[in-house]
Amino acid sequence: MKNLDESLLVHVPPFRKLSRAQIRDVLDLAVPKRFDPAALIFEEGMDADRFYLLLDGHIRVIRTTEGGDQVIALHIVAGQLFGIAAAIGRTTYPATAMAVDECLALSWPSDKWQSFVSSYDGFATESYKVVGERMGEMNNRIVEMATQHVEQRVARAVLRLINQSGKKVEGGIEIDFPITRQNLSEMTGTTLHTVSRLLSGWEKNGIVKSTRRRIVVTDAHRLVVLSEKSA
Amino acid sequence: MKNLDESLLVHVPPFRKLSRAQIRDVLDLAVPKRFDPAALIFEEGMDADRFYLLLDGHIRVIRTTEGGDQVIALHIVAGQLFGIAAAIGRTTYPATAMAVDECLALSWPSDKWQSFVSSYDGFATESYKVVGERMGEMNNRIVEMATQHVEQRVARAVLRLINQSGKKVEGGIEIDFPITRQNLSEMTGTTLHTVSRLLSGWEKNGIVKSTRRRIVVTDAHRLVVLSEKSA
DNA sequence: GGGGCTCTTTGTTCTTGATCAAACTTGGGA
DNA sequence: TCCCAAGTTTGATCAAGAACAAAGAGCCCC
């Protein structure tokens, strides 16, 4: 438990400005944990007792409506903080976090947040920058949902995924975690049927290539064009 | 300029915990300004050199797409901070702020943000609570847009407005600033035509009563029912 | 190596709400 | 007082995408 290597945090933005000794202190307070694919890390409404740093894997942040519809709010990639309800004055988690693939995360008790902010220079700044980026992303999604058609929204969602978690493969860029048409529909507010038809169409035009749970973008440029097609 | 009364800030959340002397200091740094209806306070992309506190009136926060569509992100009511790009590590404003009616606001240079946070206990906590609330609202809107029909979205938008800025009048609750069908459509991602038809329908059913730029909700309960109608 | 679960595809029909098109109303300003 | 701009209503048509319905395909586990 106590032998986490300091190199883990050296390159992670919120901790980048900390000294070796400070990182040691932070790590000594951290609890590492592994999650299997589809494991729930915390659920919407739960008491927000810990905050997390994802070291490896991908996390999906989900909200569920009373009607049972799921909406994917965002994906977290390695190196990002999540579950930081404490940072924005919340006592419960606003959404559910689920491991997409095998994940490794560190966590700390939420009541440590305050002391991190005051003890470690740069920690607050970097963390709130993350908050700002997420707000920006959310804002963009609202604008998209309000003004764009389904095809453009799905195109953007795919582009965002390859930007955040794209892996170069021969013939294009692959989303490097498993994702279904259903998932994509939950990110864009449409149905899996419509997403399936869109992907089939794009595949016919040589823009993407996809198999079960995997998507490779072969012509990102044309996807960008699609995503911008007149409002 | 220097004779702002301290009572202005005593009941405003971010400053609530400050001493009389501290409030004096804060006020001495503040620049008050009045804005006419429809005046732009700052625009998306502008250098975020100041942050604001709205003392009176209503502000509309707007994003405009390349295609010229406008989306209303949120409304700010008296007592709220806005333009707090500095708080989330941004150097430009992420959206445009426009006065809806006659407004009075205080503003401070953005570089004072850091010193406010460190000098005044409770300021950071309260401010980030506001950030958290806005994130929650944005999140809800994303979920709504993804899962609900237009009628439900418009109903919710109206309910939100009367919650935030409702004024009791005989016969119901009125949204206490001027708002057009067009505005409502920009809040919900639909067209003014559809909003007009919905409002006409509701009026026929005795749920609302509206004239040019004014909306009175006469039966909030039934509006809630409408807004929840099966996903 | 088969069974079953999960994911995907594809066809058809139907509904919502956008788009197009005008006319009407209201209130402020010349 | 009249005019005009801004805001509102209403009708008709149309298209995007949801809903309904099945059938296929890939993968994991036994």
Side-chain angles (χ1 to χ4, degrees), chain B residues 38 65 70 116 168 174 194 201:
Chain B
T65 67
Q70 294 206 330
F116 278 25
K168 227 168 217 144
E174 177 176 1
T194 298

Side-chain angles (χ1 to χ4, degrees), chain B residues 194-208:
Chain B
T194 298
V195 172
S196 176
R197 281 182 237 269
L198 285 170
L199 248 27
S200 297
W202 295 346
E203 183 141 13
K204 213 159 290 168
N205 290 314
I207 298 175
V208 302

Side-chain angles (χ1 to χ4, degrees), chain A residues 44 63-71, chain B residues 143 147-148 152 156 227-231:
Chain A
E44 184 172 347
R63 299 207 47 195
T64 306
T65 67
E66 334 68 49
D69 295 292
Q70 294 206 332
V71 175
Chain B
V143 171
T147 62
Q148 311 214 281
Q152 288 139 36
R156 290 214 179 195
S227 79
E228 286 170 349
K229 230 191 211 143
S230 76

Side-chain angles (χ1 to χ4, degrees), chain B residues 45-224:
Chain B
M46 264 180 50
D47 196 51
D49 55 340
R50 306 187 72 82
F51 65 94
Y52 297 79
L53 172 70
L54 185 60
L55 292 176
D56 193 42
H58 299 84
I59 303 285
R60 184 167 285 152
V61 178
I62 303 165
R63 299 207 48 194
T64 307
T65 67
E66 334 68 49
D69 295 292
Q70 294 206 330
V71 176
I72 297 180
L74 72 148
H75 285 96
I76 308 284
V77 299
Q80 292 196 335
L81 291 172
F82 66 102
I84 53 178
I88 50 175
R90 298 199 46 134
T91 59
T92 59
Y93 295 115
T96 297
M98 174 191 273
V100 175
D101 42 18
E102 179 152 333
C103 289
L104 181 63
L106 298 182
S107 74
W108 296 265
S110 288
D111 53 27
K112 285 279 175 298
W113 182 269
Q114 280 310 325
S115 68
F116 278 25
V117 164
S118 48
S119 314
Y120 305 128
D121 198 45
F123 178 80
T125 314
E126 292 291 332
S127 301
Y128 285 118
K129 206 174 279 179
V130 171
V131 171
E133 279 157 19
R134 291 207 189 140
M135 282 188 97
E137 250 184 72
M138 285 168 62
N139 229 163
N140 287 338
R141 270 186 81 188
I142 290 175
V143 171
E144 281 172 30
M145 301 263 275
T147 62
Q148 311 214 281
H149 284 184
V150 170
E151 180 164 35
Q152 288 139 36
R153 299 207 304 266
V154 176
R156 290 214 179 195
V158 171
L159 287 169
R160 209 171 299 156
L161 289 173
I162 63 169
N163 277 333
Q164 292 177 346
S165 328
K167 192 176 58 178
K168 227 168 217 144
V169 292
E170 47 0 296
I173 307 170
E174 177 176 1
I175 297 172
D176 83 337
F177 58 85
I179 185 158
T180 66
R181 323 282 138 144
Q182 171 85 44
N183 295 150
L184 227 24
S185 76
E186 287 164 355
M187 297 176 65
T188 52
T190 180
T191 62
L192 77 156
H193 308 276
T194 298
V195 172
S196 176
R197 281 182 237 269
L198 285 170
L199 248 27
S200 297
W202 295 346
E203 183 141 13
K204 213 159 290 168
N205 290 314
I207 298 175
V208 302
K209 207 144 192 331
S210 82
T211 57
R212 169 178 258 237
R213 314 224 281 164
R214 315 177 82 233
I215 297 175
V216 179
V217 176
T218 51
D219 190 343
H221 183 262
R222 272 211 284 158
L223 200 55
V224 171

Side-chain angles (χ1 to χ4, degrees), chain A residues 15-72:
Chain A
F15 300 102
R16 198 162 5 192
K17 292 182 181 159
L18 274 61
S19 70
R20 209 76 180 178
Q22 289 177 318
I23 288 183
R24 188 70 263 154
D25 293 342
V26 167
L27 280 174
D28 286 346
L29 292 167
V31 175
K33 187 151 184 205
R34 213 187 49 76
F35 297 94
D36 286 324
L40 292 179
I41 298 164
F42 52 76
E43 285 184 77
E44 184 172 347
M46 266 180 49
D47 197 50
D49 55 340
R50 305 187 73 82
F51 64 94
Y52 297 80
L53 173 71
L54 185 62
L55 291 176
D56 192 42
H58 298 84
I59 303 285
R60 184 168 286 152
V61 179
I62 302 165
R63 299 207 47 195
T64 306
T65 67
E66 334 68 49
D69 295 292
Q70 294 206 332
V71 175
I72 298 180

